[in-house]
Amino acid sequence: MRRVLLSLLALALGATGAAAQSMRPFSTYRQWHGETRLDARLEYAAGALRLAAGRPSELYRMDVLYDGERYAPVSAFDAARGGVALGLRASGEGGLRVVSRSQLRQTASVTFSPRSDLALAVTLGAVDGDLELGGLRLTDLKLEAGASRATVRFSQPNAARCRAATLTAGAAELSVLGLGNSRCDRITFEGGVGRVTLDFGGAWTSSAQVAVRMALGEVALRLPRGVGVRITLDKFLASFEPKGMVRRGTSYLSPGYDQATRHLDIDVTTAIGGVTVDWLE
Amino acid sequence: MRALSRLLRAVVLLSILAPSAAFADALSDPAGSRTVQLVHGFWSLVADAATRPGDGDDLQAPHPAPQAIPPGAQDEPAVSLDDLSQPTAIESRLRDALRRRDGGVRVTVTNGAARMGDFSIGSNETMPGQLLVVQGTADIYGKLLGNLVTVDGDVVIHAGGVVSGDILTLGGEVRDEGGEIGGEVRTFRTSSVLATPLPVQGAEPPTAVETVFRRMAGVVGVFLTLGALGFGLVMFGRPNLEVVSDTVSHSFGRAFAAGLLGQLLLLPTFGMLVVGLILSVVGIVLLPFAVVVYALLVIVGAVGGYLAVAHSMGETYTRRRLALGAMIGSPNSYRYLLVGLGALAAFWGAWSVFGWVPVAGDLIRGAAILVTWLLATAGFGAALLSRAGIRENFAGRLLPPEALTDEYLWATPQYGVTAARRPGSRTPTRGL
């Protein structure tokens, strides 16, 4: 009986090894030829993603290590529109396979030129993402995160004025850090389930309107001291801690709101969960 | 056996926990910095390995003598390199086109040329059209007015060199030494274009012998998997398996009816579960987990039930042999399961051997499907009736062992012991 058991175990281990998938490296880039604007669309289904500013001599670059049996790389530049589509799309037969989790890890590194204005639309599936948008010339941002854990940073001030940033999350954990550096006039967040951290730190150069809609989950707001902050809350079964704020009508205001030269008006709508406020020093 | 069981449990636990722990570590970092470091480190490793001098040459086959690739026959489709935005599609097309026919490679490139071996465009040269270079390095000193594709070869754009279109390397890399590339650069460092040709469409169908071997391999694989699952079930859940198995043996009809009903109610139950969770609002969070758990329960019920049927068949057969006086070394659940699965595999084994026979093959396959469905339904029903082996109501175990007191045994005639007739009493006769 032992022999039989050991044989079966050996067979199972052997089969697992044979099922190893083929990870394939792929790179794409385009030289910068004086383009003033780029409309970039990035769709990334699964794996780890890093996005940042790249070399000035390259309009964009994507280095990806992907599962060649399940995905195909997307890299299409439309010169007439000044747009590029990057990422990985599902392909092949896929199907169920027993492989270890580490084998399913795909990695991608995407960079954009800091010379061109960038309108960026990112769609993430099951992704562990780190998006460093500081140092780019971002004019528009759309981010859709499915079941992802993503961190969006503006470590440096945006080199261009951003019209709007629209962030949408399904069942995700999303942190957006340094929104003061984003220079976005309007920031919108819509979340289904999960946890979102909106850090409004950074160098504020103008006022901004922020709308936060969260169905079920926790919203953490980190607010700067030097900007007049007003929070208008519409909640159903949610808690709210207006730490250090003064209530005026249906809104909560930071001390010295009326005297502040720049204002941050935040509308929060949430059903179930909690909204917390922390002050950045 | 105990030591072996412990060893196996430890191996299973380790194999489950080790990857989970690693993944948990990776995700527990709130800032994601560790993940980014990992990605950076990994990508640097890949890039370093790829850009190390000589590595690319090591991966590629020795370059053949430079020559033009003759165009393919008229009935063979030409390869268009006008649009390189879908590199995997181009790779697939080239894999088919570059298959060696009659000892040589022939390919027709639409609006362009194809070259074998190293190829260069001189600094005072201008070449219009698309260019395909196979097993060679493309050195661009002059101008290429089109797209450039290399298979198992690098592209070097020297200072002053121009490629007006896109570049795609399949098994190579692009080195930009100060040239100008008008389009997009796409690089696959590895490619199997020349290594593993795809099977030709419309190829010869497999012979009967090949078919038999393929099917036998499939049947053996499936039943080996079932055997491994069954052994795990015996090892970790023998009491439950035995109760389900006894339920099949003692209440086959009832188990089949329950299984049939269960199959019919699977989808409505699932729908009610989903709707109920959605209506409860809070349950929406649990919906993904509930769906997964429900699917797993159904699979476990069906596979476990099927294994219980195999166990039941093996037990019945083994006990009959024992009753006939046969000497059997270890009549235990492992043997029952093996014997039962062997019997069940016999149906599919017959199909794998005789499946190619016209009419008879289809009949055998139909019979195998029918028998498998019948037994799986009965097993599923038995799993439902016995609540996955927890309830013994239908397992023929009417009295628990502790109920067999001395008083019960004294008052109850035992099977196999002939009762002695009381002296002077007569058997009453009907009608008297």
Side-chain angles (χ1 to χ4, degrees), chain B residues 68 74 99 141 177 302 416:
Chain B
Q74 287 190 345
R99 277 185 300 108
Y141 295 92
E177 298 183 350

Side-chain angles (χ1 to χ4, degrees), chain B residues 247-268:
Chain B
T247 304
V248 174
S249 300
H250 290 87
S251 309
F252 185 85
R254 201 190 298 258
F256 179 75
L260 201 59
L261 196 62
Q263 286 174 18
L264 293 174
L265 292 177
L266 272 179
L267 277 180

